[in-house]
Amino acid sequence: MAPDDPKTSTPPAIYLGLAFCLVSVVWWFVYYAQYGGAFGLLGLKLACIGFATPECAFFQANIRGAIPRYVPVLWYAGMVTLAFGVFQIWRQRQP
């Protein structure tokens, strides 16, 4: 038995938000892998994906590499865009 409502397409904001978050995670991982290896001190580095902790400032002060300093701008842009996409889906499902 098929539902009466046709399947609605996923808003582009969902894909864009996920892309921003993915790029941000890759940038964060590659940047902080320069200090202590890829998985060294991962528990301390994990907070750096969205916040600026004293540990993040310490890592950034001691990383000398060609990769630009990680700034969570793309992470926040991805979260806002993703939230907008979820809002669009919610609005589509309203009667």
Side-chain angles (χ1 to χ4, degrees):
M1 188 171 191
D4 293 335
D5 296 331
K7 184 175 177 172
T8 58
S9 63
T10 304
I14 296 284
Y15 297 119
L16 187 60
L18 289 174
F20 281 159
C21 289
L22 180 64
V23 169
S24 181
V25 167
V26 169
W27 180 17
W28 163 82
F29 185 77
V30 172
Y31 178 76
Y32 283 104
Q34 297 177 88
Y35 187 90
F39 297 104
L41 302 171
L42 190 60
L44 295 174
K45 295 175 185 176
L46 193 57
C48 300
I49 199 162
F51 306 105
T53 64
E55 290 85 4
C56 300
F58 174 78
F59 295 143
Q60 288 183 353
N62 291 297
I63 292 176
R64 303 283 184 251
I67 299 170
R69 179 177 290 201
Y70 175 77
V71 181
V73 169
L74 282 178
W75 178 257
Y76 290 126
M79 289 292 124
V80 168
T81 308
L82 193 56
F84 180 67
V86 170
F87 175 74
Q88 287 178 325
I89 290 174
W90 179 73
R91 291 289 293 168
Q92 285 176 353
R93 293 184 181 179
Q94 293 295 316

